[in-house]
Amino acid sequence: MSRIDRLADRATEVGTRAYDWTDQRFDLDSGREFLGKAFPAEDSFLLGEIALFCFLILILTGLFLGMFFEPSTSDVEYEGSVDRYQGEEMPEAFVSVLHITYDIPFGMFIRRMHHWAAHLFVASIGLHMLRVFFTGAYRNPREPNWVVGTGLAGLAMGAAYTGYALPFDEFAATATSIGYNLAISVPVVGDVLGKAFFGGEFPSSATIPRLYFLHVLVIPVAIAGLLGVHMAILLRQKHTEAPRDDDVPAPGEATVVESETAAESNVSGDTGDPVVGDGGVTAVGTDDHRGRSTVDRDDDSVVVGLPAFPNQAAVSAVVFFLTLATLSTLAGFLPVHNIAEYGPNNPAGTPELIMPDWFLMWVYGFLKLLPSWTSFTVPVVGIHVSAEFVGGVLMPALVFGAIAVWPFVDYHDESTHFTANPLARPWQTAVGVAAIQFVMIASIAGMNNLLGRAVGVGTEVVNPILTVALLVVPVGSGLVVYRVLRGSAADTDGDDGDTDAVADGGTPAADDRAPEVSDDG
């Protein structure tokens, strides 16, 4: 048994004792239906929990930082640990972040942890969505949760952007001005958006208070609300589940699932006898003489996994502390944006190298690649459409819109319980690979100056190549992926004539262990 396994066992034991103690006082048995909801024991399914824990850590570290941060651009005299700024009049927001970083005990550590938690929050949401996409876990009836997840991804980026501006140092203020220019580029309502989100022409005295209000209240409340909706849908519906292994017998050969009580059962669903409501726990199939539950390999009406409490709760506790340990390590060894080096915002100056964080780099790439002729004025109505609007607002909106409506493009009439093998979904996987390459090339375009410097040429040489690559490479690679997977599926299934099932995005027929699903909810 590995060290991690022993740690998980100990955590499970602690969780069991905690449950017994709590049950004696609050009669948790009455909530067994909820507490026994099964979670599949799949490691990749924990990416969503990592995102949830990152959000929690962001809230806790944000509360600490908020106690010392001053959302004001009014000048105050600096008196702190940084010698170069002693006695200077500087924006209060900048000065307060200097105090947090160099004068408040553990301030630098908490600020770093907040920074890395934001990055891991966005990354874990992105990886979670990729897992859901490639395994087809967005299919009927889980389309609503995919849409909610898309909204969470957009809000996570918005939270990171608004927080990025708050120190009001030279680098962050200049980078944040790009967002202001995009806001006012929106036809007809641009000026209104600029006043609403930035308090008028950037930077104004209202800019930092507005962004601070969005960062600490509006966006977190929206994220918390969508997380609540996401979890409510998750609890109401069954989890998806990977195709069961060979140790689960084929249809008609029911296997025994270890459990002693209903709440400790690791299956849940709405079939079998006895039956409980959605999301609850039931002893499924035929009970043996020891009271254990049984399940078939293709029984898509149940979930084989860990009950929510105490088993899954114990696993979640381990994931939380691993997430906390990872962020602590990053905060302890990796520095973050050095505002003392850049200095306070200087409207008359521009840092040599300006670029956003990695998760917004693809938007920056659109802005760098779009030619000036994409700016035009609509005849008759006289509405001007700028290249900034097309590249920085319209195209990202189309990307997010395409992601949100994807389950309705790859629509399935029947509900699906088991996740699919990406290799058995040629056109869906090809689209996913093409989309990833599209975003990656656009991100590289956002760093075109660094790329040009690395190869010894100017951006005027790099940009045309990147533009062609942005249009050609995703399409070409998508076609290659489709051809390879389609050919492989045909070779595999040619003998049994089951190619149609694979081409339709179903589970693989040759070596998969997932049966066809029924149309239950």
Side-chain angles (χ1 to χ4, degrees):
M1 178 180 292
S2 68
R3 184 172 298 174
I4 294 179
D5 290 335
R6 289 196 297 271
L7 181 61
D9 286 344
R10 291 176 183 175
T12 301
E13 183 180 352
V14 171
T16 302
R17 291 179 179 176
Y19 174 82
D20 292 339
W21 186 90
T22 309
D23 182 43
Q24 294 173 4
R25 288 153 181 80
F26 299 102
D27 189 23
L28 297 182
D29 281 351
S30 60
R32 279 174 178 269
E33 181 175 330
F34 169 77
L35 296 173
K37 180 177 176 61
F39 287 78
E42 302 286 342
D43 293 342
S44 62
F45 282 38
L46 298 176
L47 285 167
E49 294 196 19
I50 293 174
L52 178 64
F53 296 143
C54 283
F55 180 66
L56 177 62
I57 293 171
L58 281 169
I59 295 296
L60 296 176
T61 54
L63 288 173
F64 177 89
L65 298 175
M67 288 188 291
F68 304 102
F69 178 72
E70 295 292 342
S72 170
T73 56
S74 301
D75 285 344
V76 295
E77 183 177 339
Y78 176 72
E79 294 178 356
S81 300
V82 183
D83 291 339
R84 62 182 293 189
Y85 297 126
Q86 289 295 335
E88 285 192 29
E89 295 283 336
M90 299 186 295
E92 196 168 9
F94 178 79
V95 169
S96 65
V97 177
L98 283 181
H99 282 311
I100 291 172
T101 306
Y102 299 105
D103 299 312
I104 304 298
F106 301 104
M108 179 182 290
F109 180 79
I110 298 297
R111 182 176 163 232
R112 287 180 175 184
M113 181 174 286
H114 192 77
H115 172 92
W116 291 119
H119 283 254
L120 187 57
F121 181 50
V122 177
S124 55
I125 289 178
L127 292 174
H128 180 60
M129 293 189 71
L130 287 176
R131 196 273 300 171
V132 172
F133 178 88
F134 282 107
T135 61
Y138 53 77
R139 293 173 293 179
N140 183 8
R142 298 174 180 83
E143 304 97 328
N145 236 2
W146 173 264
V147 176
V148 171
T150 305
L152 279 170
L155 287 172
M157 293 183 184
Y161 170 79
T162 52
Y164 189 74
L166 297 184
F168 206 52
D169 64 294
E170 175 66 350
F171 185 95
T174 305
T176 305
S177 67
I178 297 174
Y180 170 74
N181 291 327
L182 295 181
I184 63 174
S185 72
V186 179
V188 182
V189 298
D191 290 339
V192 176
L193 294 177
K195 292 178 181 177
F197 294 108
F198 295 90
E201 185 175 356
F202 184 90
S204 73
S205 59
T207 297
I208 293 300
R210 293 289 175 90
L211 295 178
Y212 183 67
F213 177 67
L214 292 171
H215 183 70
V216 303
L217 183 62
V218 177
I219 297 179
V221 168
I223 291 176
L226 285 187
L227 281 174
V229 173
H230 187 75
M231 296 302 295
I233 295 175
L234 185 67
L235 292 175
R236 180 60 182 169
Q237 297 177 338
K238 295 194 300 288
H239 264 83
T240 54
E241 183 183 347
R244 291 165 186 158
D245 296 330
D246 285 335
D247 56 351
V248 179
E253 300 175 5
T255 186
V256 172
V257 179
E258 296 288 348
S259 75
E260 296 180 355
T261 69
E264 293 169 345
S265 173
N266 56 354
V267 295
S268 77
D270 54 6
T271 67
D273 187 16
V275 176
V276 296
D278 288 343
V281 178
T282 180
V284 179
T286 304
D287 289 354
D288 70 351
H289 65 282
R290 295 173 56 185
R292 298 179 300 180
S293 305
T294 60
V295 63
D296 286 337
R297 191 190 304 172
D298 67 343
D299 188 351
D300 65 342
S301 64
V302 299
V303 177
V304 176
L306 302 175
F309 194 89
N311 303 59
Q312 182 60 34
V315 173
S316 298
V318 172
V319 174
F320 172 77
F321 285 113
L322 287 177
T323 303
L324 185 64
T326 300
L327 293 176
S328 298
T329 302
L330 292 173
F333 291 98
L334 296 182
V336 297
H337 184 59
N338 188 351
I339 66 167
E341 179 65 24
Y342 285 100
N345 175 51
N346 178 13
T350 302
E352 179 185 1
L353 186 61
I354 290 293
M355 59 177 59
D357 286 324
W358 59 269
F359 46 81
L360 291 173
M361 194 67 74
W362 56 284
V363 179
Y364 199 44
F366 291 156
L367 292 172
K368 288 195 171 184
L369 291 186
L370 275 186
S372 58
W373 57 261
T374 53
S375 295
F376 61 94
T377 301
V378 180
V380 182
V381 295
I383 296 176
H384 181 66
V385 178
S386 65
E388 288 79 8
F389 169 72
V390 175
V393 180
L394 182 60
M395 291 183 66
L398 291 176
V399 170
F400 270 95
I403 295 173
V405 303
W406 175 255
F408 307 99
V409 176
D410 182 24
Y411 184 74
H412 295 255
D413 290 330
E414 296 184 350
S415 62
T416 304
H417 172 63
F418 293 103
T419 57
N421 183 348
L423 301 181
R425 290 162 34 93
W427 75 270
Q428 293 94 338
T429 300
V431 169
V433 171
I436 291 174
Q437 295 209 353
F438 183 77
V439 172
M440 290 181 64
I441 294 174
S443 299
I444 293 174
M447 300 178 285
N448 61 348
N449 48 353
L450 296 180
L451 178 62
R453 188 182 302 174
V455 298
V457 298
T459 55
E460 68 279 3
V461 176
V462 171
N463 283 354
I465 298 174
L466 289 171
T467 301
V468 173
L470 186 66
L471 299 175
V472 174
V473 173
V475 176
S477 61
L479 291 175
V480 170
V481 169
Y482 177 79
R483 183 67 186 89
V484 170
L485 294 184
R486 179 77 178 184
S488 176
D491 293 341
T492 303
D493 303 315
D495 294 338
D496 57 15
D498 199 23
T499 306
D500 291 342
V502 175
D504 191 40
T507 50
D511 61 348
D512 73 335
R513 293 176 287 277
E516 294 184 358
V517 298
S518 66
D519 57 355
D520 74 303

